[in-house]
Amino acid sequence: MFQAQKERRRPRRMPLWAAISLIALLSAGALALSYVALTGVGSDEHPGLPVNPGAAVSRESVSLAPSPPADIEPESAVDPVAGSASQRMLAMAGGTAMRATGGTCENPGTVEISTDGAQSWNSSETLAGAGATQILRLLPTDPSLVQVVALDRNCEPQVYRSADLGTTWEGPLPVVGTWYFNPSNPTQVGTPNGPQPLSCEGAELAAAGDQAAVRCLDGSIVTTVDRGITWVETPGVTDALAINYSAASYVVAQTGDQTCEGVGLASLTDGPSAVLDGCFETASTADPENIAIAQSGMSTLLWVGDDLVTSTDGGRTWL
């Protein structure tokens, strides 16, 4: 009797074939649900679940800017770097000379280097490859080392230097401690102590050590001897076209007068006024951006229009 009750209480086992069928059915269902979830991401019919939950963005959190009325044209994006792409620059150190056309962030400037006193020029095609765009300043340090301050692709000023006369360039390097002028911010200049305000709307910078001079857009010149903390206007200069640093003074190209039909040269000495040194006769004086000047020792370079000329006697005669 007791043996019969024990047999009735023993649970019945599911047949092996039934268990296998149930497992197969559950697996098929799980696979179907996974397929719907994955293929439904981004679908209006099957929102599903994102593969990466952190990447999910609520539709309500995205707002679109209203479209402007049909009769109002949208404002164009402001170029972060104003100023002309054709701004010319010259620099000299001994027999090494550099010349450049400014360019912009979108269209990099061009730099050429001469090792024979500006008789022949070699273009440096690798500067743009190093990341430089708009040229801000030329710095020939010695006959073999040349440097430039230029904007990078993000329109930020950087230093680039070459120890093989422009064949290869090192950079970008920090611009900290370096003088530079960015045309996009004409009322400020970069100094060894950081950015400093200008007392005029600037157009061109010439600097060395603690001293600097800025050619203003109105043709005047302001100078500093304390790294840009204070600026003083130079008396007697109202029509400057170009300026550069030269042996503890500045060399200036300015509009000619009754005795000079073209570009006059002036040296800003330690005194308060400019002294006229020479003249280059030309009709191409309307646009200061097409004029650049540099001086080293007895040599003066002047770039006016299509003419790039050299003088070894202070601008009295030109080659």
Side-chain angles (χ1 to χ4, degrees):
M1 176 180 178
F2 291 104
Q3 184 67 26
Q5 290 179 349
K6 289 180 180 180
E7 291 178 357
R8 286 195 297 269
R9 292 174 183 172
R10 181 178 298 171
R12 295 182 179 180
R13 295 181 180 179
M14 180 182 293
L16 180 59
W17 64 268
I20 294 174
S21 300
L22 180 60
I23 292 173
L25 181 62
L26 292 175
S27 299
L31 288 174
L33 291 174
S34 299
Y35 175 80
V36 171
L38 293 176
T39 57
V41 174
S43 168
D44 292 333
E45 297 179 358
H46 303 285
L49 297 174
V51 177
N52 177 11
V57 179
S58 170
R59 292 177 181 267
E60 288 77 17
S61 66
V62 179
S63 59
L64 299 177
S67 300
D71 58 342
I72 299 178
E73 296 184 0
E75 294 182 0
S76 59
V78 177
D79 187 347
V81 178
S84 172
S86 62
Q87 178 68 55
R88 293 179 174 179
M89 284 162 268
L90 282 173
M92 293 184 70
T96 301
M98 301 178 70
R99 67 181 181 184
T101 301
T104 65
C105 278
E106 292 76 18
N107 298 293
T110 60
V111 171
E112 295 176 277
I113 300 171
S114 172
T115 58
D116 55 11
Q119 298 303 306
S120 61
W121 296 87
N122 295 314
S123 177
S124 178
E125 304 294 344
T126 55
L127 180 57
T133 57
Q134 183 176 0
I135 312 300
L136 303 182
R137 189 182 177 203
L138 302 177
L139 295 164
T141 306
D142 58 46
S144 60
L145 179 64
V146 294
Q147 303 182 83
V148 301
V149 180
L151 300 182
D152 60 17
R153 295 184 181 95
N154 296 320
C155 297
E156 295 294 332
Q158 309 283 357
V159 174
Y160 300 83
R161 65 186 179 193
S162 173
D164 52 17
L165 297 173
T167 302
T168 60
W169 292 87
E170 179 185 359
L173 304 171
V175 76
V176 176
T178 304
W179 288 97
Y180 66 92
F181 173 73
N182 189 342
S184 69
N185 194 353
T187 58
Q188 179 178 286
V189 65
T191 79
N193 291 345
Q196 297 288 347
L198 283 171
S199 58
C200 72
E201 191 170 356
E204 186 179 15
L205 169 73
D210 296 338
Q211 305 180 47
V214 169
R215 175 176 64 86
C216 304
L217 280 178
D218 62 4
S220 63
I221 290 175
V222 294
T223 61
T224 180
V225 294
D226 54 13
R227 298 188 172 195
I229 297 176
T230 58
W231 296 89
V232 177
E233 185 172 349
T234 301
V237 180
T238 59
D239 50 9
L241 301 170
I243 189 170
N244 216 323
Y245 187 83
S246 173
S249 65
Y250 302 96
V251 59
V252 180
Q254 58 187 13
T255 304
D257 54 17
Q258 293 85 352
T259 62
C260 176
E261 295 182 1
V263 177
L265 266 65
S267 291
L268 301 187
T269 61
D270 294 335
S273 61
V275 179
L276 185 64
D277 289 338
C279 175
F280 177 68
E281 294 185 358
T282 177
S284 304
T285 61
D287 188 357
E289 291 179 345
N290 291 331
I291 301 175
I293 194 169
Q295 192 174 68
S296 178
M298 298 299 294
S299 296
T300 303
L301 282 182
L302 183 64
W303 193 1
V304 182
D306 295 330
D307 297 315
L308 180 59
V309 292
T310 306
S311 175
T312 57
D313 56 9
R316 294 171 180 82
T317 59
W318 298 91
L319 303 174

